[in-house]
Amino acid sequence: MAVHHHPHRRMGFHLSFTGRTGTRAASASATTASTATAGAHALAGLRLLLGFVFLWAFLDKTFGFGYATPSGKGWIDGGSPTKGFLSSVAAGPMESTFHDWAGQGWADWLFMLGLLGIGVALAAGIGLRLAAAAGTVMMALMWMAEWPPAKHLSDGTASMSTNPFADYHLVYAVALIALAAAGAGATWGLGRVWARLPFVSRNRWLR
């Protein structure tokens, strides 16, 4: 009799163990899904916040809301979005080049279209790869204009730089690349709809 009952006891133990394993697997799967959802929401929030940074810069420089751009000095009032910043560059290997670019019509248009395009792309969650590429170039140029490695400006005064390498331009550039790499436009955005468009699906660099 003992021989007959022994397999049943083993079977009962085995089934109970399988049940616990299944519960643990389901719990782990639910935890992973919850973490992935939270991560997607966090990236979407970062995308929208960064989009507002670019869009606000465009709007303020266009209309002169009195923040970075004084009232009456906006682009629509005849002001130049690049002249003030680029003409004040006082350090770095491109100092004279930036002075030459300051206030140029082509520079104003490229800068403003870049701000608008990147801002719209981030807010809508579309074209993040293109936005990341354009934004990284823009941030790199602005980083060179401020030139954090310099302890002193060209006139000998202290530059007030707090870090020789990492500043907010670098942080923005890395954030743009991370958002594009993670496909952050799919959450709270039009990323999935955009990716299904025929011309986008044929040209993956537009995603």
Side-chain angles (χ1 to χ4, degrees):
M1 293 294 294
V3 175
H4 291 289
H5 288 295
H6 184 64
H8 292 289
R9 288 198 300 271
R10 286 178 58 87
M11 184 178 294
F13 175 78
H14 178 71
L15 290 175
S16 176
F17 180 77
T18 302
R20 289 199 298 271
T21 302
T23 300
R24 290 172 184 168
S27 177
S29 178
T31 301
T32 301
S34 177
T35 301
T37 300
H41 288 166
L43 287 174
L46 174 62
R47 191 197 82 234
L48 292 172
L49 185 61
L50 195 54
F52 180 73
V53 169
F54 282 90
L55 284 177
W56 177 258
F58 170 81
L59 293 172
D60 184 51
K61 293 179 184 301
T62 298
F63 300 104
F65 289 147
Y67 288 85
T69 306
S71 179
K73 300 292 185 179
W75 198 21
I76 62 170
D77 301 309
S80 169
T82 63
K83 187 174 183 178
F85 176 65
L86 293 182
S87 62
S88 65
V89 173
M94 292 186 64
E95 179 180 351
S96 61
T97 301
F98 286 131
H99 289 172
D100 292 339
W101 290 357
Q104 296 289 334
W106 64 266
D108 289 344
W109 275 96
L110 281 178
F111 180 56
M112 294 300 281
L113 289 176
L115 290 176
L116 178 61
I118 295 168
V120 169
L122 290 170
I126 61 176
L128 295 185
R129 294 181 181 180
L130 188 58
T136 298
V137 171
M138 179 183 291
M139 292 299 104
L141 288 171
M142 295 179 73
W143 184 89
M144 294 187 71
E146 294 197 5
W147 198 244
K151 292 183 179 180
H152 298 88
L153 302 179
S154 54
D155 62 1
T157 60
S159 68
M160 304 304 290
S161 176
T162 59
N163 191 295
F165 177 67
D167 75 342
Y168 68 97
H169 297 108
L170 181 62
V171 174
Y172 285 172
V174 173
L176 286 169
I177 294 170
L179 291 171
T187 302
W188 299 342
L190 302 174
R192 289 192 179 92
V193 176
W194 175 259
R196 287 196 296 266
L197 295 177
F199 70 93
V200 176
S201 61
R202 289 194 300 269
N203 301 279
R204 296 177 64 86
W205 58 273
L206 289 173
R207 295 186 179 182

